[in-house]
């Protein structure tokens, strides 16, 4: 439990993937790899016609990278492996044939914003503020950047990346295209998710797969790009600046 978990529930064609970590649903490397593998396995299951991706609990949707693991990185190789986990999750969501519905019940930070940007249709509550905080600790949203930019555009992505200590509201995220719909309560959001999932479950799987190919056109190079970007973060996380910034952040 201390390392988190990923679970899958497949019911009547709807596969719900849930991730959890006790530290605000942050994502250490092992959990990132497990999440990516789970997404791939669900994608290969012909009985799964639509996918819902969510995190457990009522608080943070995802706090992004695990700071405990960041401070433990001792080499560029270790850094590459850790940040490549986010690349694996994003690419898994991009490649599976099913449409993926995202459920963001509360705040999303860093990699959490990247995951929200990588689903095909994202629901959120009004509490689901977003922040790309990487620059605050001396790195940057290099791996998640392409996914976020694809959804909200370069201007909005750069605002998040540059003003890294400030939250943007769920309504802002909806206006920019990150969220498709925003609800005042979790109950209302879940009801809407169920309605859409049921509709997609009864739609033509081949047609949805062909649509998804169109939605993700011109991203084939992400197989290389996101791992190259992971290398940038892996190098920067070893800098004295970043180590001091992370230590200061953790001491708060």
């Amino acid at each position: 439990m201390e390392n988190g978990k990923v679970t899958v529930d497949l019911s009547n064609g709807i596969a719900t993937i849930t991730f959890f970590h006790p530290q605000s649903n942050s994502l250490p490397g092992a959990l990132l790899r497990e999440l990516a593998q789970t997404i791939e396995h669900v994608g290969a299951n012909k009985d799964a016609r639509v996918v819902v991706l969510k995190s457990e609990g009522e608080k943070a949707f995802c706090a992004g990278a695990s700071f405990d693991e960041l401070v433990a990185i001792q080499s560029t190789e270790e850094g590459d492996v850790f940040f490549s986990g986010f690349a694996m999750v994003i690419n898994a969501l991009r490649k599976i044939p099913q449409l993926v519905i995202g459920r963001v019940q509360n705040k999303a930070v860093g990699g959490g914003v990247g995951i929200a940007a990588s689903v095909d249709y994202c629901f959120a509550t009004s509490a689901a503020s977003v922040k790309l905080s990487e620059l605050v600790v001396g790195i940057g949203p290099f791996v998640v950047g392409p996914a976020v930019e694809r959804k909200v555009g370069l201007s909005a992505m750069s605002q998040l990346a540059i003003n890294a200590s400030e939250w943007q509201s769920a309504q802002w995220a909806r206006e920019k295209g990150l969220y498709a719909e925003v609800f005042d309560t979790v109950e209302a959001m879940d009801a809407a998710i169920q309605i859409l999932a049921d509709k997609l479950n009864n739609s033509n799987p081949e047609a949805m797969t062909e649509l998804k190919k169109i939605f993700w056109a011109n991203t084939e190079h992400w197989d290389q790009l996101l791992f190259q970007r992971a290398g940038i973060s892996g190098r920067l996380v070893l800098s004295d600046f970043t180590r001091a910034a992370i230590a200061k952040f953790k001491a708060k």
Side-chain angles (χ1 to χ4, degrees), residues 7-221:
T7 60
V8 179
D9 175 68
L10 177 58
S11 178
N12 298 321
I14 301 172
T16 301
I17 301 173
T18 305
F19 64 91
F20 168 77
H21 193 276
Q23 294 180 341
S24 300
N25 287 323
S26 60
L27 292 169
L31 192 60
L32 282 166
R33 291 187 290 275
E34 183 180 356
L35 179 57
Q37 291 167 1
T38 301
I39 293 167
E40 291 172 354
H41 290 160
V42 169
N45 188 339
K46 300 297 183 183
D47 293 329
R49 292 187 290 276
V50 60
V51 177
V52 176
L53 179 63
K54 59 183 286 191
S55 65
E56 191 173 303
E58 299 178 356
K59 295 184 179 180
F61 167 70
C62 178
S66 166
F67 275 18
D68 288 340
E69 194 159 345
L70 285 180
V71 297
I73 293 172
Q74 297 296 321
S75 68
T76 55
E77 291 77 16
E78 290 179 7
D80 288 351
V81 169
F82 174 74
F83 288 104
S84 291
F86 286 100
M88 293 168 63
V89 171
I90 292 170
N91 278 327
L93 290 168
R94 174 175 69 87
K95 290 180 178 181
I96 64 170
Q98 300 93 335
L99 294 174
V100 182
I101 299 171
R103 176 189 183 273
V104 183
Q105 78 277 15
N106 213 306
K107 292 181 176 180
V109 184
V113 180
I115 291 174
S118 301
V119 303
D120 299 298
Y121 197 101
C122 197
F123 291 88
T125 71
S126 55
S129 303
V130 295
K131 179 168 66 172
L132 291 180
S133 60
E134 288 88 342
L135 192 60
V136 172
V137 293
I139 51 179
F142 299 111
V143 178
V144 303
V148 178
E149 181 183 343
R150 171 182 166 269
K151 270 294 176 72
V152 305
L154 179 59
S155 176
M157 191 279 282
S158 66
Q159 290 174 41
L160 286 173
I162 292 170
N163 200 2
S165 63
E166 297 300 318
W167 293 96
Q168 295 292 345
S169 70
Q171 187 59 38
W172 181 93
R174 180 182 176 276
E175 291 171 356
K176 301 302 181 184
L178 179 65
Y179 300 149
E181 301 182 45
V182 173
F183 298 86
D184 289 333
T185 66
V186 169
E187 292 76 16
M189 175 182 64
D190 285 341
I193 290 172
Q194 189 64 53
I195 290 170
L196 180 59
D198 287 339
K199 288 179 180 177
L200 294 178
N201 192 30
N202 291 303
S203 297
N204 184 342
E206 186 177 359
M208 290 188 287
T209 296
E210 293 299 326
L211 270 177
K212 181 157 183 171
K213 290 178 182 177
I214 293 171
F215 298 154
W216 287 92
N218 303 316
T219 60
E220 295 82 3
H221 64 295

Side-chain angles (χ1 to χ4, degrees), residues 218-229:
N218 303 316
T219 60
E220 295 82 3
H221 64 295
W222 286 16
D223 284 331
Q224 293 76 39
L225 175 66
L226 300 191
F227 290 99
Q228 292 170 356
R229 295 286 189 87

